[in-house]
């Protein structure tokens, strides 16, 4: 069966505020994105996912939407958006948007109406409850810290917010909420967007009986335990308590029916896509009636990408997928540590970054990359609490300063803060990394390592740069049908240092060998042939090789077509 565009595509996530600032106000914008579409095209990506571009008071950095059918003024106008979409489409680049369903901003007109009185027609658009014994309705916590309930004196009731206080949860059991959101969905689909990444779908419904959670730890204790855990085992001990804390607030009945309903809307349009911000396989439905993709987040939850880790992940993930479902892999996004920081070892970072990309582009499934990873942008630890935008990190800091000394509190907060991976893209080796004019204060500081080669302009000119490596691999993938369509067959299950697998499609079979170690490896393959054509290697190699015995160089990335 012919593959859909999103099965063949490599996605690239743009965090709009940090991508490119065209009007020199220190904030990225649509004109900046338009200016760099040719760059993205030549990089070799096929589709963009934009983090929220809607009007927002920006308390959760855009994930607090105050109008679902408009554009944040700091990013441009609706016309700018339309121009951007048209220009992207002209270059054959698809665009999906971020749809935040679970909650709106407390500044959304819907919420202003809802909170105004108990008999307002929109009262039931959000989740309102009476308090109990002078306190909140129950002991549920917000994912971002503190109680999940906020008292509102206007009506003497509490509203529920799974995330920030400024992000009241919408009541999806109210059909009017659905209707309003589906109208917004149609608004963008009618304009021609190619689909949506669905934010926080797991928390759309909560247990209507609202029983207390039973975790015996406080949320701060859990945060601290996670952040300070020395070993994986130390960390794992706390996971059940974290799960118990949110047990009644996630993955509740009704969510799959809702996603299926959304799918029927999407299917009224040609060829659109839904990607869930969830790793739960259940969101694939029967393989063709719910979401098209759900991220393989477990793959990135490790300090080191070892062959054993990757093999185990693939074995589990691929075997769980329902027939017809398509995998979706990623190693970083706007909520996580950047790939270069997370999987580097401080010594072989450049080689490991290349291996991470090779992994994304050779595993079966649709890869999602994150802006800046192509030049090896790293996390940037803020050292002044006044620079932080990420509200949960500020919350953590305020709590931590009462328990540990201020510098330790800052360190904890900087590490937890998602600001670390959202700093502006570094376009050049000039003040502000070429993101904004030199005299401008950018919304988040630019990582000073733009002056150490971590910038687009210099890397474009350096044949051996990470950026040119990305380009080369991305273009190679387009020409290699087995890497796009092929089944995944693991080889050498016990190899500790290298990962070897086949990708076999009707047209082509490829052997992929990725050496994650600084040791060379002499390996043997018993396949139907030992003759191969080298499709890609980061070492000097003959065009045709016999891989019955193969000497894999340290950190080698080798892709061979079986002939
Ligand atoms: C997931 C988003 O990726 C994250 O950035 C956001 O803070 C939460 N959902 C809440 O919307």
């Amino acid at each position: 069966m012919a593959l859909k565009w999103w099965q063949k595509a490599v996605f690239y996530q743009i965090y709009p505020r940090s991508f490119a600032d065209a009007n020199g106000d220190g904030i990225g914008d649509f004109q900046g994105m338009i200016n760099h579409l040719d760059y993205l095209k030549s990089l070799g990506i096929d589709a963009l996912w934009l983090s929220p571009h809607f009007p927002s008071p920006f308390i959760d950095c855009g994930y607090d939407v105050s109008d679902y059918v408009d554009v944040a003024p700091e990013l441009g106008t609706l016309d700018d958006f339309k121009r951007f979409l048209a220009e992207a489409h002209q270059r054959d680049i698809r665009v999906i948007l971020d749809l935040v369903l679970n909650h709106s901003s407390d500044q959304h007109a819907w919420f202003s109406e809802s909170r105004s009185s108990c008999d307002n027609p929109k009262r039931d658009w959000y989740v309102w409850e009476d308090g109990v014994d002078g306190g909140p309705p129950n002991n549920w916590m917000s994912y971002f810290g503190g109680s999940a309930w906020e008292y509102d004196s206007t009506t003497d009731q509490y509203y529920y917010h799974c995330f920030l206080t400024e992000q009241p949860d919408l009541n999806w059991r109210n059909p009017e909420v659905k209707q309003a959101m589906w109208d917004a969905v149609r608004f963008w689909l009618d304009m021609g967007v190619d689909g949506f990444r669905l934010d926080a779908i797991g928390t759309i419904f909560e247990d209507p009986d609202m029983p207390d959670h039973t975790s015996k730890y406080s949320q701060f204790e859990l945060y601290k335990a996670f952040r300070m855990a020395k070993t994986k085992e130390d960390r794992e001990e706390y996971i059940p308590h974290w799960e118990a804390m949110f047990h009644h607030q996630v993955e509740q009945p009704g969510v799959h029916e809702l996603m299926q309903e959304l799918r029927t809307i999407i299917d009224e349009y040609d060829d659109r896509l839904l990607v869930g911000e969830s790793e739960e396989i259940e969101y694939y439905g029967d393989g063709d009636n719910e979401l098209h993709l759900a991220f393989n987040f477990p793959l990135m939850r490790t300090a080191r990408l070892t062959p054993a880790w990757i093999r185990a992940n693939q074995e589990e993930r691929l075997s769980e997928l329902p027939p017809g479902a398509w995998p979706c892999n990623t190693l970083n996004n706007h909520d996580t540590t950047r790939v270069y920081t997370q999987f580097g070892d401080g010594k072989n970072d450049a080689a490991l970054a290349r291996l991470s990309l090779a992994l994304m582009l050779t595993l079966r499934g649709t890869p999602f990359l994150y802006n800046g990873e192509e030049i090896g942008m790293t996390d940037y630890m803020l050292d002044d609490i006044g620079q932080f935008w990420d509200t949960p990190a500020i919350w953590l800091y305020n709590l931590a300063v009462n328990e540990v000394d201020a510098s330790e509190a800052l360190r904890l907060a900087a590490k937890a803060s998602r600001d670390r991976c959202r700093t502006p893209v570094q376009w050049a080796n000039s003040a502000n990394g070429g993101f904004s004019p030199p005299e401008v204060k950018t919304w988040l500081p630019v990582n000073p390592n733009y002056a150490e080669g971590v910038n687009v302009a210099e890397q474009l000119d350096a044949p051996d740069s990470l950026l040119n490596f990305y380009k080369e691999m991305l273009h190679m993938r387009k020409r290699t049908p087995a890497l796009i369509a092929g089944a995944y067959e693991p080889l050498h299950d016990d190899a500790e240092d290298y990962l070897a697998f086949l990708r076999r499609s009707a047209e082509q079979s490829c052997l992929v060998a990725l050496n994650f170690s600084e040791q060379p490896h002499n390996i043997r393959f018993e396949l139907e042939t030992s003759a191969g054509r080298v499709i890609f290697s980061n070492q000097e190699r003959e065009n045709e090789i016999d891989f019955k015995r193969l000497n894999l160089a340290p950190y080698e990335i080798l892709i061979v077509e079986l002939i």
Side-chain angles (χ1 to χ4, degrees):
M1 208 174 62
L3 293 182
K4 306 267 193 201
W5 67 267
W6 47 267
Q7 293 174 304
K8 296 186 259 185
V10 175
F11 278 75
Y12 179 97
Q13 179 190 358
I14 287 189
Y15 193 71
R17 272 219 176 195
S18 290
F19 188 63
D21 171 18
N23 66 354
D25 64 354
I27 299 176
D29 45 49
F30 276 107
Q31 188 56 51
M33 293 181 225
I34 294 171
N35 295 347
H36 289 92
L37 283 171
D38 287 334
Y39 163 78
L40 294 170
K41 184 71 192 172
S42 75
L43 181 58
I45 58 94
D46 309 287
L48 300 171
W49 151 30
L50 298 193
S51 274
H53 67 288
F54 312 97
S56 161
F58 218 69
I59 309 294
D60 186 23
C61 295
Y63 285 87
D64 45 332
V65 177
S66 56
D67 184 351
Y68 286 91
V69 288
D70 206 348
V71 169
E74 62 274 25
L75 302 180
T77 63
L78 203 49
D79 279 340
D80 294 332
F81 175 82
K82 288 180 188 163
R83 258 183 332 110
F84 160 75
L85 186 63
E87 296 265 354
H89 282 168
Q90 248 171 42
R91 292 165 177 80
D92 214 12
I93 296 177
R94 309 268 183 155
V95 177
I96 67 167
L97 303 181
D98 213 317
L99 189 63
V100 188
L101 299 169
N102 179 71
H103 47 266
S104 73
S105 157
D106 65 347
Q107 303 302 306
H108 197 297
W110 298 342
F111 189 67
S112 306
E113 286 186 51
S114 182
R115 83 190 318 179
S116 66
S117 76
C118 284
D119 51 16
N120 183 280
K122 291 206 170 51
R123 181 63 171 182
D124 191 44
W125 282 39
Y126 293 84
V127 181
W128 292 97
E129 289 290 327
D130 286 329
V132 172
D133 298 333
N138 63 22
N139 68 357
W140 289 359
M141 302 302 286
S142 146
Y143 263 107
F144 284 168
S147 168
W149 296 97
E150 182 71 5
Y151 178 69
D152 199 49
S153 60
T154 316
T155 53
D156 191 27
Q157 277 198 318
Y158 288 78
Y159 68 84
Y160 173 70
H161 58 93
C162 190
F163 296 92
L164 296 173
T165 313
E166 295 84 355
Q167 294 172 298
D169 272 46
L170 283 154
N171 175 15
W172 280 89
R173 294 197 169 91
N174 183 333
E176 292 176 19
V177 168
K178 269 205 284 195
Q179 197 48 55
M181 201 62 95
W182 295 165
D183 287 349
V185 163
R186 287 203 160 85
F187 173 86
W188 296 107
L189 292 175
D190 288 339
M191 203 177 289
V193 306
D194 298 287
F196 299 97
R197 173 263 191 190
L198 305 174
D199 185 68
I201 44 184
T203 53
I204 283 180
F205 290 106
E206 36 295 325
D207 185 337
D209 297 334
M210 303 203 165
D212 278 347
H213 76 71
T214 54
S215 176
K216 66 176 186 181
Y217 289 101
S218 78
Q219 198 179 28
F220 182 61
E221 282 169 329
L222 290 176
Y223 263 122
K224 216 162 60 173
F226 284 137
R227 287 282 157 209
M228 292 179 163
K230 296 240 169 358
T231 66
K232 195 162 155 264
E233 288 69 36
D234 283 352
R235 195 183 146 87
E236 273 172 0
E237 190 190 322
Y238 293 95
I239 291 176
H241 299 284
W242 183 264
E243 285 172 356
M245 182 166 282
F246 294 102
H247 182 66
H248 303 290
Q249 297 168 256
V250 294
E251 305 305 341
Q252 296 294 312
V255 68
H256 294 290
E257 290 75 4
L258 186 74
M259 292 299 105
Q260 286 160 19
E261 190 176 325
L262 177 55
R263 173 65 182 265
T264 60
I265 294 173
I266 291 279
D267 283 349
E268 290 167 20
Y269 297 76
D270 266 0
D271 234 10
R272 312 294 165 102
L273 169 73
L274 293 175
V275 192
E277 190 224 356
S278 174
E279 67 208 53
E280 304 294 331
I281 293 285
E282 287 71 25
Y283 285 104
Y284 282 101
D286 69 9
D288 197 28
N289 68 340
E290 211 171 313
L291 308 187
H292 301 95
L293 298 173
F295 290 107
N296 175 11
F297 287 135
L299 179 64
M300 68 156 96
R301 286 200 200 111
T302 173
R304 281 197 59 209
L305 282 173
T306 62
W309 174 269
I310 300 162
R311 271 194 296 269
N313 169 273
Q314 288 300 291
E315 189 181 331
E316 190 176 333
R317 191 81 189 166
L318 296 177
S319 66
E320 283 175 347
L321 288 179
W326 192 256
C328 178
N329 298 305
T330 186
L331 290 176
N332 58 176
N333 61 42
H334 67 292
D335 288 333
T336 64
T337 305
R338 279 187 170 278
V339 77
Y340 203 90
T341 303
Q342 176 72 8
F343 302 117
D345 62 2
K347 192 169 148 214
N348 303 293
D349 295 353
L352 291 167
R354 284 165 168 78
L355 278 159
S356 297
L357 177 71
L359 185 68
M360 283 297 94
L361 300 190
T362 56
L363 285 181
R364 180 170 163 83
T366 302
F368 274 66
L369 311 178
Y370 178 50
N371 61 198
E373 70 163 88
E374 72 274 24
I375 51 169
M377 279 181 65
T378 55
D379 278 9
Y380 185 46
M381 296 297 160
L382 300 179
D383 56 9
D384 171 358
I385 193 68
Q387 294 175 325
F388 281 56
W389 282 84
D390 191 18
T391 309
I394 299 171
W395 175 85
L396 183 65
Y397 174 82
N398 288 332
L399 218 64
V401 275
N402 298 322
E403 306 229 356
V404 293
D405 70 55
S407 62
E408 177 59 9
L410 189 64
R411 205 186 61 78
L412 265 178
K415 201 146 185 263
S417 167
R418 296 168 299 170
D419 295 322
R420 71 189 193 279
C421 63
R422 297 175 178 176
T423 57
V425 170
Q426 298 157 205
W427 292 102
N429 183 3
S430 55
N432 275 335
F435 173 79
S436 292
E439 66 285 359
V440 168
K441 187 170 183 315
T442 55
W443 78 283
L444 268 176
V446 177
N447 189 328
N449 69 6
Y450 70 78
E452 292 153 27
V454 187
N455 68 73
V456 172
E458 288 182 336
Q459 292 199 20
L460 277 176
D461 286 344
D464 291 338
S465 66
L466 184 61
L467 177 55
N468 281 319
F469 180 84
Y470 264 69
K471 262 183 158 177
E472 198 186 336
M473 275 216 104
L474 282 159
H475 288 281
M476 173 279 300
R477 186 180 191 270
K478 287 187 205 301
R479 299 186 302 266
T480 313
L483 294 185
I484 297 170
Y488 164 88
E489 279 178 37
L491 301 168
H492 294 202
D493 275 355
D494 298 327
E496 279 179 25
D497 284 349
Y498 66 89
L499 184 72
F501 54 92
L502 292 169
R503 297 290 313 277
R504 289 187 192 272
S505 70
E507 289 164 72
Q508 187 188 42
S509 292
C510 284
L511 167 72
V512 178
L514 307 176
N515 187 355
F516 282 81
S517 79
E518 36 189 13
Q519 305 306 322
H521 282 277
N522 211 316
I523 52 186
R524 275 179 77 96
F525 291 100
E526 301 286 347
L527 299 171
E528 69 270 24
T529 172
S530 66
R533 186 172 66 83
V534 174
I535 288 192
F536 187 92
S537 171
N538 54 350
Q539 305 295 315
E540 287 295 319
R541 280 203 177 265
E542 297 291 317
N543 202 11
E544 299 214 344
I545 59 172
D546 182 329
F547 56 84
K548 190 160 182 109
R549 278 189 180 283
L550 192 66
N551 208 352
L552 206 57
Y555 298 111
E556 180 163 2
I557 295 162
L558 178 64
I559 303 170
V560 182
E561 180 179 6
L562 274 52
I563 50 176

